[in-house]
């Protein structure tokens, strides 16, 4: 079966990733392509199966079963809200400030409707967002995780992370309006605190 | 620690918001987790559900994973806890065992035979597993010495690329290439056995 050189390069990156030895850009390329490239997913499964079977014949099994498992799991995960922990210090970050002390927040807002939708990762400086009002839900409902939110390398300085802010004019307007109100951010989950978006400040 | 964990790059990627990257970890560990759960729970019909639940829990909690243990160790613990909870639930409520059975068919009479035999317990499935194991072994035997040694040191002995380079007295790039070519050769032999049937895809 003839393969393109692009496929060979892709699969070699995949092989390195199996061993935790992929370069950051290779990891990035694999992950970006994951949702679109079923060949990629097939190869990853095959490489993992090979390792399992080498270690134990017991783990040999029908690929159809593994496919069904993933398919079922996807359906369950689609209903899960995505909430990230506030950015804490991690190996390599160097920035040990807890998020609550005015450090940069990173969190994902989950839709409040029945099917949770990943709205993306927002970077908010200084003050926070006091929860979602219906307008924001409208804006962000239906958006998948934007490409530019995934980090392509090891955790770097916070200025790297700044560049990954979502660019959506309506979102920016919304945040600007809410910045004026100040208030505390909610870690993770959402609380509908107030629908008052006026000049009250709070 | 996290740095030595081959799963670290993927786990960190998920923690930064690329939730699709979680699927790579699922495809990697699903078989092992199911085997583990199968050893704990007598009713085999429950295994896929408990395994699914395990991954859902891991997905929810991955933001709090700090890399104090290897990712798989953490996942393993979640699997054990999830299975234990189910077992405790079963002890309390005998009717739960009935609920645990796959009840998807309207025609209970005609499908009772299928209900009694799980997918991999059928003669065809057992044969398929054996064939996969045999194909992997035969493919490894057919490799050149260098490729066979490289992939064996990696998958069975668990040596890092650096250690393998040391043992085989070659550059790390060569190790990476040899392991990749070994996987390629084995995967291409496996392909007909793992191939998707009409309409099924990863």
């Amino acid at each position: 079966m003839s393969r393109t050189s692009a496929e060979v390069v892709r699969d070699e990156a995949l092989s390195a990733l199996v061993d935790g030895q992929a370069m950051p850009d290779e990891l990035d390329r694999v992950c970006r392509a994951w949702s679109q490239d079923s060949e990629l997913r097939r190869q990853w499964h095959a490489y993992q199966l090979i390792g399992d079977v080498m270690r134990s014949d017991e783990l040999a099994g029908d690929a159809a079963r593994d496919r069904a498992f993933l398919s079922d799991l996807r359906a369950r995960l689609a209903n899960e809200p995505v909430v990230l922990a506030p950015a804490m210090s991690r190996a390599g970050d160097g920035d040990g400030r807890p998020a609550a002390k005015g450090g940069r927040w990173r969190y994902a807002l989950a839709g409040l409707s029945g099917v949770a939708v990943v709205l993306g990762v927002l970077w908010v400086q200084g003050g926070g967002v006091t929860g979602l009002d219906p307008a924001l839900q409208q804006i962000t409902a239906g958006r998948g995780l934007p490409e530019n939110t995934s980090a392509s390398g090891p955790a770097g300085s916070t200025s790297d992370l700044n560049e990954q802010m979502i660019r959506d004019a309506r979102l920016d307007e919304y945040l600007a309006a809410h910045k004026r109100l100040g208030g505390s951010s909610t870690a993770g989950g959402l609380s509908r605190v107030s629908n008052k978006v006026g000049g009250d400040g709070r | 620690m996290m740095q030595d964990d081959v799963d670290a790059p993927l786990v960190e990627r998920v923690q930064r918001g690329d939730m699709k990257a979680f699927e790579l970890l699922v495809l990697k560990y699903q078989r092992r987790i199911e085997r583990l759960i199968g050893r704990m729970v007598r009713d085999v019909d429950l295994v896929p559900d408990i395994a699914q639940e395990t991954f859902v829990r891991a997905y929810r909690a991955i933001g709090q994973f700090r890399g104090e243990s290897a990712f798989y160790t953490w996942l393993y613990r979640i699997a054990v806890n999830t299975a234990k909870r189910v077992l405790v639930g079963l002890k309390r409520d005998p009717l739960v065992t009935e609920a645990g059975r796959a009840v998807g068919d309207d025609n209970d009479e005609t499908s009772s035979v299928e209900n009694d035999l799980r997918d991999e317990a059928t003669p065809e499935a057992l044969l398929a597993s054996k064939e996969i194991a045999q194909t992997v072994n035969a493919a490894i035997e057919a490799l050149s010495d260098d490729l066979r040694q490289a992939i064996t040191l990696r998958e069975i002995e668990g040596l890092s690329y650096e250690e393998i380079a040391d043992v085989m007295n070659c550059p790390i790039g060569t190790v990476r290439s040899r392991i990749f070519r070994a996987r390629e050769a084995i995967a291409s032999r496996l392909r007909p056995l793992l191939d998707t049937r009409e309409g099924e895809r990863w």
Side-chain angles (χ1 to χ4, degrees), chain A residues 102-151:
Chain A
R104 302 222 154 90
W105 277 89
R106 174 172 66 173
Y107 56 92
L109 306 174
L112 292 177
S113 54
V115 177
V117 169
V118 174
L119 302 181
V121 178
L122 300 175
W123 287 94
V124 180
Q125 301 189 12
V129 178
T130 53
L132 284 186
D133 69 22
L136 180 58
Q137 285 183 62
Q138 296 285 326
I139 289 169
T140 49
R143 283 181 62 155
L145 187 70
E147 283 296 299
N148 61 354
T149 57
S150 47

Side-chain angles (χ1 to χ4, degrees), chain A residues 3 15 19 26 28 34 39 41-42 44 52 55 58 65-67 74 76 80 145, chain B residues 13 17 23-24 30-31 34-35 52-53 60 154-155 161 176 183-184 191 195 200 202:
Chain A
R3 294 150 52 80
S15 172
D19 304 322
E26 290 176 321
D28 192 47
W34 184 258
E39 257 308 299
R41 300 192 291 270
R42 178 210 300 263
W44 175 260
D52 275 357
R55 287 181 289 271
E58 277 184 329
R65 201 172 168 280
D66 296 352
R67 268 196 303 279
R74 272 187 187 134
R76 292 178 68 159
E80 291 289 316
L145 187 70
Chain B
R13 178 96 183 183
E23 292 188 1
L24 284 90
Q30 166 238 329
R31 285 167 300 281
E34 285 195 299
R35 179 176 62 174
Q52 298 262 335
E53 182 66 25
R60 287 176 186 155
R154 178 66 208 116
E155 293 286 15
Y161 280 14
R176 175 178 146 133
R183 284 188 174 127
E184 282 262 281
R191 196 171 175 121
D195 240 344
E200 289 178 9
W202 280 102

Side-chain angles (χ1 to χ4, degrees), chain A residues 56-79:
Chain A
S56 166
D57 282 1
E58 277 184 329
L59 295 174
D62 187 10
R65 201 172 168 280
D66 296 352
R67 268 196 303 279
F69 185 93
L70 183 62
S71 168
D72 290 345
L73 185 64
R74 272 187 187 134
R76 292 178 68 159
L77 294 181
N79 290 326

Side-chain angles (χ1 to χ4, degrees), chain A:
Chain A
M1 183 176 93
S2 68
R3 294 150 52 80
T4 67
S5 59
E7 283 168 344
V8 173
V9 166
R10 175 198 68 194
D11 290 349
E12 181 170 349
L14 211 59
S15 172
L17 184 59
V18 170
D19 304 322
Q21 297 272 5
M23 297 296 126
D25 65 292
E26 290 176 321
L27 170 65
D28 192 47
R29 270 186 281 119
V30 167
C31 290
R32 283 170 186 270
W34 184 258
S35 294
Q36 290 85 38
D37 189 349
S38 69
E39 257 308 299
L40 187 65
R41 300 192 291 270
R42 178 210 300 263
Q43 281 292 56
W44 175 260
H45 172 266
Y47 289 172
Q48 293 295 349
L49 180 66
I50 288 167
D52 275 357
V53 172
M54 284 178 72
R55 287 181 289 271
S56 166
D57 282 1
E58 277 184 329
L59 295 174
D62 187 10
R65 201 172 168 280
D66 296 352
R67 268 196 303 279
F69 185 93
L70 183 62
S71 168
D72 290 345
L73 185 64
R74 272 187 187 134
R76 292 178 68 159
L77 294 181
N79 290 326
E80 291 289 316
V82 175
V83 179
L84 299 178
M88 303 289 285
S89 73
R90 261 190 195 105
D93 255 352
D95 178 4
R97 284 179 303 162
K101 298 238 163 49
R104 302 222 154 90
W105 277 89
R106 174 172 66 173
Y107 56 92
L109 306 174
L112 292 177
S113 54
V115 177
V117 169
V118 174
L119 302 181
V121 178
L122 300 175
W123 287 94
V124 180
Q125 301 189 12
V129 178
T130 53
L132 284 186
D133 69 22
L136 180 58
Q137 285 183 62
Q138 296 285 326
I139 289 169
T140 49
R143 283 181 62 155
L145 187 70
E147 283 296 299
N148 61 354
T149 57
S150 47
S152 60
S157 65
T158 46
S159 63
D160 287 340
L161 301 168
N162 249 340
E163 279 151 29
Q164 292 165 21
M165 189 182 297
I166 295 173
R167 288 295 168 217
D168 181 301
R170 291 172 299 176
L171 218 43
D172 286 350
E173 277 169 27
Y174 179 86
L175 290 174
H178 278 64
K179 249 191 232 178
R180 277 183 264 119
L181 301 180
S184 58
S185 306
T186 57
L190 303 158
S191 56
R192 311 261 311 252
V193 175
S194 166
N195 279 332
K196 274 197 269 184
V197 184
D200 301 340
R202 240 276 308 122

